[in-house]
Amino acid sequence: MFEKGRIASLLKIDVGLEQAVHGAQLMQPIPDLAQTLRWARSLGVIGTKMRSLIHDTTQGMVVEAVRQQFALAEEIFAAGLLPIVEIEVSTALPDDVRRIQELQLRTSIASALEQASEDLRIFLKLTIPVTAGLYTPLMRHAKVYRVLALSGGFSRHYACQQLAQNPGMIASFSRALLEDLRAQMPEAEFNRMLDRSMFEVLGATKNRKDLTEQGSFVQERLADSYSGVIDE
């Protein structure tokens, strides 16, 4: 896929969420992870993604969600793949509650980064925060390659408005990107609508200001096959 379309493949490795405990949903145990990572690497997959979900919870459960994600990220990175650490804060929460949860999440991630292996490099995928610029300190950390923005169930237009207020975050939208697309559309109309959606999202991302470059993460890890994938 990369050789033909310059598309980097990612593998979703989690098998779903546990039931909520004290307002947080951690990931279920992932069976045969080491084997899955070897298989993915053999197929040319470049990285992985996995998701946890934070509702109205205690700081202890936020810390536990971060701990679980970082433990897996260490294993994934050691296997030669690029981990996306995704911890979503539910946008169904009131803004004042989300603001507290997001601050706790930033604090917990910052602590986990300091304790992580020196060579670990990750992507963070987080809900666009209520407080604009909240995650800027994480973007500057040497172990964080990029901070990706979840649309969080918002409309594309609203998600793009919020993204534009957070310089340095880049879009990783799915629902928002596809909201106007229908399987029954004629191909030409489908393509026009997809182009329009992509340019709107790109415009919001382009409003960011570049932070200090940390080199090509992909070149460091997968230089022979994937040099420069992410930054093209």
Side-chain angles (χ1 to χ4, degrees):
M1 184 178 294
F2 173 69
E3 293 300 331
K4 292 183 178 180
R6 310 295 287 177
I7 297 172
S9 300
L10 300 169
L11 177 66
K12 184 178 186 294
I13 59 167
D14 71 74
V15 294
L17 298 173
E18 300 275 14
Q19 293 295 315
V21 176
H22 301 302
Q25 287 185 269
L26 305 185
M27 294 177 289
Q28 296 180 27
I30 305 172
D32 304 317
L33 178 58
Q35 180 179 342
T36 298
L37 296 176
R38 288 193 298 270
W39 170 76
R41 184 77 188 273
S42 73
L43 295 177
V45 172
I46 192 172
T48 65
K49 72 178 292 291
M50 50 194 176
R51 173 177 173 265
S52 307
L53 180 59
I54 299 298
H55 303 283
D56 187 4
T57 189
T58 63
Q59 184 171 355
M61 289 304 296
V62 173
V63 171
E64 181 59 21
V66 172
R67 185 208 62 77
Q68 184 190 46
Q69 287 265 349
F70 269 74
L72 288 170
E74 295 273 13
E75 185 174 354
I76 293 161
F77 191 75
L81 296 169
L82 315 181
I84 297 177
V85 169
E86 179 178 343
I87 306 175
E88 180 175 0
V89 175
S90 173
T91 57
L93 296 170
D95 282 357
D96 58 338
V97 177
R98 273 185 61 203
R99 188 176 286 108
I100 294 170
Q101 303 295 356
E102 289 165 353
L103 182 57
Q104 291 179 350
L105 180 59
R106 187 187 72 177
T107 300
S108 297
I109 291 174
S111 178
L113 286 167
E114 292 306 312
Q115 297 172 37
S117 300
E118 282 302 314
D119 65 342
L120 179 68
R121 299 292 184 274
I122 63 170
F123 294 89
L124 289 171
K125 188 173 179 181
L126 306 171
T127 310
I128 303 172
V130 174
T131 303
L134 180 69
Y135 296 130
T136 299
L138 300 180
M139 298 174 201
R140 299 184 187 279
H141 199 286
K143 296 175 186 175
V144 176
Y145 185 70
R146 289 286 187 272
V147 178
L148 313 178
L150 283 157
S151 55
F154 292 134
S155 71
R156 184 176 62 254
H157 181 67
Y158 184 79
C160 287
Q161 284 183 326
Q162 299 305 301
L163 177 60
Q165 295 177 34
N166 286 270
M169 292 189 85
I170 60 175
S172 180
F173 295 172
S174 53
R175 286 169 289 180
L177 179 67
L178 305 177
E179 68 182 17
D180 294 327
L181 302 179
R182 303 292 180 271
Q184 299 79 14
M185 285 179 170
E187 183 176 355
E189 182 183 358
F190 184 97
N191 289 338
R192 282 197 301 272
M193 192 65 69
L194 180 58
D195 284 347
R196 189 178 75 175
S197 298
M198 291 175 65
F199 277 108
E200 184 177 1
V201 173
L202 179 62
T205 299
K206 287 295 187 182
N207 282 335
R208 67 188 177 90
K209 57 184 178 183
D210 288 324
L211 302 176
T212 302
E213 283 297 328
Q214 299 166 1
S216 173
F217 184 29
V218 178
Q219 281 183 324
E220 293 174 10
R221 299 302 297 174
L222 302 168
D224 292 341
S225 300
Y226 303 114
S227 177
V229 174
I230 299 299
D231 281 330
E232 289 188 353

